Amino acid sequence: MTETKQFISNLPKDKKKAIEKFFFSLDEFYDTIYLIVQNGHILELNQPDMWEVRHKNIEYYRTKADALLDSFGLDGKELVADIASDYFEDFVHYRKALINISSEKFVEIIKKLQ
């Protein structure tokens, strides 16, 4: 378990409940942010046509997640950055993360962030 996952699991009950209410579970919260970061990074690496527009969309959702976490009494930008750090740690060490969120649930959460 990463330090970030440990931090999330040690949050006060009220903050965990707020996260779970929006993201369905703490694991799905972590996976959602991880995938947002991963998708942004992959776009930067590959730079397909119109990648800048897609990247702005990803940054929009990342910013929305920051603000949502702030509304829960957390430092959203810091927590998202910590999850991003976990992603980049996995990336540089060629580790595949254990992402358990379904595509449908991920899309549902993304829609809720709008």
Side-chain angles (χ1 to χ4, degrees):
M1 179 180 290
T2 68
E3 286 182 34
T4 305
K5 283 186 176 183
Q6 188 67 46
F7 172 80
I8 293 166
S9 70
N10 290 334
L11 286 170
K13 285 186 181 183
D14 63 323
K15 293 184 182 358
K16 287 197 285 192
K17 283 188 181 224
I19 290 171
E20 290 170 339
K21 184 176 180 182
F22 189 90
F23 291 93
F24 306 109
S25 74
L26 297 178
D27 288 335
E28 289 172 323
F29 157 67
Y30 184 91
D31 289 354
T32 297
I33 303 303
Y34 191 100
L35 287 173
I36 289 171
V37 171
Q38 181 182 50
N39 286 327
H41 184 236
I42 290 169
L43 271 176
E44 288 174 0
L45 289 176
N46 296 327
Q47 297 185 356
D49 289 340
M50 309 252 321
W51 76 274
E52 295 96 344
V53 174
R54 291 187 205 162
H55 195 267
K56 282 184 183 180
N57 286 333
I58 290 171
E59 285 303 310
Y60 167 81
Y61 290 109
R62 186 173 175 165
T63 302
K64 292 295 256 182
D66 291 347
L68 179 66
L69 294 169
D70 287 345
S71 77
F72 297 159
L74 297 164
D75 184 345
K77 193 169 189 169
E78 184 70 27
L79 186 51
V80 170
D82 289 345
I83 296 171
S85 180
D86 288 352
Y87 162 73
F88 286 110
E89 185 73 19
D90 289 344
F91 178 78
V92 298
H93 289 99
Y94 301 100
R95 290 189 297 243
K96 183 166 172 57
L98 298 173
I99 302 295
N100 294 316
I101 191 170
S102 69
S103 296
E104 294 80 14
K105 195 68 82 94
F106 177 73
V107 169
E108 185 176 347
I109 293 168
I110 292 297
K111 285 180 180 178
K112 286 172 65 175
L113 280 172
Q114 290 179 329

